[in-house]
Amino acid sequence: MHLQRLPVCLLILAVCYSCNNKNEASSTLFELVENSGINFNNQVVDQEYDNSFLFRNFYNGGGVAIGDINNDGLADVLLTSNMDENKLYLNKGDFKFEDITAKSGMKQDSMWSTGAVMVDINNDGWLDMYICNSGHMKNGNRRNKLYINNHNLTFTESADKNGLAVSAYTTQVSFFDYDLDGDLDCFMIDNSPMPVNTLGYTNRRDLPAAAWPVADFVKAGGDHLYRNDNGHFTQVDKEAGIHGTLMSFGLGVSVADINNDGYPDIYVANDSYERDYLYINQRNGTFKDEMEQCMKQNSFSSMGADIADINNDGYADIFTTDMLPDNDYRLKTLGAFDNIDQYRNKLKIGFYHQYMKNCLQINNGNGTFSDVANYSGVCASDWSWGLCYSMQITMA
């Protein structure tokens, strides 16, 4: 058995394994499953207050989470919607699913749902669900929700009780134990509602969202860290070294032990304007953004990120996606690049080296990374929102 290749799966998260076996009846990688019981369409329609002019991320899409909510050994599916109803599908086996949304206790309440996570947040052996919400610029109806598993295919919404009823512009969250105290903490990325053309290329990276001279409904942006204190989550951005700025246009967050010190670190993929963040865990409850010390460049419009050891050297590598066209015609007709004066000005005020391309950052094992995306042939994949590392296995 040998590792043949590591394709980057874009737009949806999927992990697939295939076997090249002479006895296989089918030579296709996937087989269409019909009549599964999953009938879902995240349709968005421009309206008076919810539209692509007022809300920049109107067409970003929803989220998906997969996990075994009833401990029967089968993976169940949670799908979120922007303008319709979120759906929870129970796996009945043999690729048949039952829509249990109505009786599960899950309610969307006309929110604009985005990322979703299944996680055993209270360590009782049963998966709970956290659903992020965004949009609704005018009415602020975007409170994130935490559904605690009642062990009987029903859930109780408990975000407010646990300190996670955050009303922001949340893209995604990641639950992990950053301080190694035995419980799960929460890192949240928000995509700032600030129009990019109003920022004026000023570096306010360390100005917390709450301190910006803007309307209160705009201050709901920024990245946030919530420490788990006996089941209640306390916001600790400032003391933990998290930027929390409205300059952050977070579209992806990945967590891994970057430097093999036993503590989880954080990578945040930021869309255009702001550079990405690489938070190295200082093992004392704080983080330090060491992106500029570790990497010589990053993607300009980082859409998503994933972390894995792709070369099996024992160190975590990082991939980010961008929008560089993958053929010459689209590059010449759609490509847009900064002029040299603008680039130098942004570099001078602290926006670092950002280029419109995918970046494959190979961990050198000494605290630095080398971007080998061009060399590896994966620097351009057009408008790529997300990715995951997956292994395609060949069996002799």
Side-chain angles (χ1 to χ4, degrees), residues 9 25 37 39 58 68 81 94 98 124-126 149 151 165 167 178 191 221 265 280 285 314 319 330 361 386 393:
C9 302
N39 185 15
F58 189 78
D68 183 4
S81 175
D94 195 29
E98 177 188 355
D124 65 351
W126 295 75
N149 197 321
H151 310 173
S167 181
Y178 83 92
N191 193 289
D265 309 299
I280 299 299
F319 197 106
R330 286 181 61 81
Q361 306 280 4
I393 305 296

Side-chain angles (χ1 to χ4, degrees), residues 44-106:
V44 294
V45 180
D46 282 61
Q47 298 178 353
E48 182 179 3
Y49 294 116
D50 291 318
N51 54 63
S52 55
F53 292 98
L54 295 177
F55 180 41
R56 181 179 56 251
N57 297 320
F58 189 78
Y59 293 112
N60 277 23
V64 57
I66 298 176
D68 183 4
I69 63 171
N70 60 343
N71 292 342
D72 65 351
L74 299 173
D76 310 298
V77 180
L78 169 64
L79 295 167
T80 71
S81 175
N82 299 142
M83 305 187 78
D84 205 340
E85 187 180 22
N86 298 331
K87 291 289 186 178
L88 181 60
Y89 294 95
L90 180 68
N91 193 333
K92 308 293 287 188
D94 195 29
F95 293 103
K96 301 296 182 182
F97 293 82
E98 177 188 355
D99 181 357
I100 63 169
T101 307
K103 57 187 178 183
S104 70
M106 186 174 70

Side-chain angles (χ1 to χ4, degrees), residues 17 85-86 94 113 135 156 171 197 203 212 227 247 272 278 291 313 315 320 324 338 348 371 376 388 390-391:
Y17 294 89
E85 187 180 22
N86 298 331
D94 195 29
S113 294
T156 299
T171 305
N197 60 3
N203 189 340
W212 282 59
R227 186 184 62 220
M247 280 173 37
S272 58
L278 176 57
M291 204 283 292
D313 66 350
Y315 288 91
T320 57
L324 184 65
D338 291 342
K348 182 179 179 180
D371 177 19
S376 300
C388 78
S390 64
M391 291 186 179

Side-chain angles (χ1 to χ4, degrees), residues 47 49-50 55 80-86 106-114 131-145 147:
Q47 298 178 353
Y49 294 116
D50 291 318
F55 180 41
T80 71
S81 175
N82 299 142
M83 305 187 78
D84 205 340
E85 187 180 22
N86 298 331
M106 186 174 70
K107 296 180 180 179
Q108 189 182 19
D109 299 329
S110 299
M111 292 188 181
W112 188 280
S113 294
T114 51
I131 297 179
C132 306
N133 292 293
S134 185
H136 292 320
M137 301 284 289
K138 294 293 185 179
N139 62 25
N141 186 28
R142 49 180 177 268
R143 182 175 62 86
N144 298 336
K145 293 192 173 185
Y147 292 96

